[in-house]
Amino acid sequence: MTELSSTVSMDKIVSLARRRGFIFQSSEIYGGLSGCWDYGPLGVELKRNVKQAWWQATVQERDDTVGLDTSILMHPKVWEASGHLQGFSDPLVECKNCHMRWRSDELKEPKCPSCGGELTEEKMFNLMFKTFAGPVESVENIVYLRPETAQGMFVNFQNVINTTRRKLPLGIAQTGKSFRNEITTGNFIFRSREFEQMEIEYFVKPGTDEQWFEYWHQERFNWYIKLGIKKEHLRLYEHPKEKLAHYARRCIDVEYLFPHGWAELEGIANRGDYDLRQHSKVSGKSLDYYDDDTKEHYLPNIIEPSAGVDRSLLAFMCDAYAEEPDKDETRVVMHFNPALAPIKIAILPLSKKENLAAFTKPIFNDLRKQWAVQYDDTQSIGRRYRRQDEVGTPYCVTVDFQSLEDNRVTVRERDSMHQIRIPIVELKKTLEKKLAGEDILVLPPGGEVVQAKGKE
Ligand code: ATP
């Protein structure tokens, strides 16, 4: 068993998120609503970037997947077929420690059979939020807010196959809100009642499912590492056969070492043909796939990598957070991968003087066409660097009075704090290269190193 513990406390992340406008409590002025969160100006950028990075890796850069965006409200029969209606209407208790839910009428002792933890009060509990479609609040008008995005992809499988003329293996990917009336919420945005998912349903020929299951759990593990999560903070956990959900043949979780311990970031399941078989049975429609190569009809198997946007975002925040000695002080830095950083570049004119502002604004306006850029001209330059470090801005561009003479500006890198001075005509191209990973000390024509680390 590893002795590792998280390098940051949840309090620090919650406080930074609140202070700098990443995440607020929902309905805060009314005392908040438990299990719901609002993303502030920086949080919404970070969240968009997490989803964009996922979309790029799972749809944009692949030949074998397509995107989809399905509705949150679906026909109630969907939840009958999926098992969500029956599965969640028992008297339930939940373990306060490991969050396993148990049918209270089946428990032999008043403690969690899995870990021995304390149990919540018994409730007749269906995890799905219920509402009514249309003006009449009658039983036949009951609809549910989806507890996962997956079902929208299963029921559209035929539509996608028929309209895209794709062959298997084929993945359908979507991001979107899901709702679960969790008995216990907590650990900041880790477990909420309204959250966002990023799910792929990957349809394969039966018999090839194991091979694709192996592929996908590795692929998804590597995605987090590519985006900067430290390998030692990630691990894979395979669910033992006897604890698998009724639909799963195998399931492996990607776990992250959160401040509250190792916990699921994403689950990758081999669902066999359970979903298409169920929907075919309940809808009465054939969901068979005709394989042109082998001239066979069959129900595809499904591999499902299912990730949480909010959980990933929390992991990216925890892993990026650092407190580093800086002269006599400590600087707080978010070492976000540039692809995730909410602001890519800060433009900092040395003073508010009009001639400097007039010179700087066109540079700002040019860069913001391409990136999320922030213009900041208040307080000392050192304070401004610190503010940008704390929200993870990879590069600051400082414009000073010398710039008016020599048409050059200073580019300062967040992580190394190195500074280079380069011609404005080279700025855009240089930033493009730096954001793509080029060393700050590689200079464009006419550039020079002006300051080494720690001498700000
Ligand atoms: P947990 O065991 O933590 O409740 P789960 O196994 O029920 O999670 P899945 O049904 O596999 O979760 O959902 C896939 C992903 O959706 C999870 O890995 C997680 O990232 C995210 N997710 C699920 N429930 C929540 C929630 N209540 N709040 C935030 N994210 C969630």
Side-chain angles (χ1 to χ4, degrees), residues 341-360:
I343 304 164
K344 310 292 183 215
I345 299 148
I347 304 287
L348 315 174
L350 200 62
S351 93
K352 283 185 173 166
K353 288 241 167 62
E354 224 169 83
N355 58 341
L356 202 56
F359 185 83
T360 310

Side-chain angles (χ1 to χ4, degrees), residues 81 110 126 147 163 170 187 213 280 285 321 373 391 400-401 421:
N126 190 303
T163 54
L170 174 69
N187 292 314
F213 177 75
S280 181
K285 305 257 164 38
Y321 186 94
V373 185
V391 300
D400 55 26
F401 290 102
R421 196 161 173 88

Side-chain angles (χ1 to χ4, degrees), residues 180 182 189-192 195 197 264-267 306-308 311:
R180 294 185 191 179
E182 299 280 3
I189 55 172
F190 178 83
R191 187 182 305 283
S192 20
F195 55 97
Q197 291 185 305
E264 175 181 337
L265 251 188
E266 168 163 357
S306 172
R311 266 188 211 180

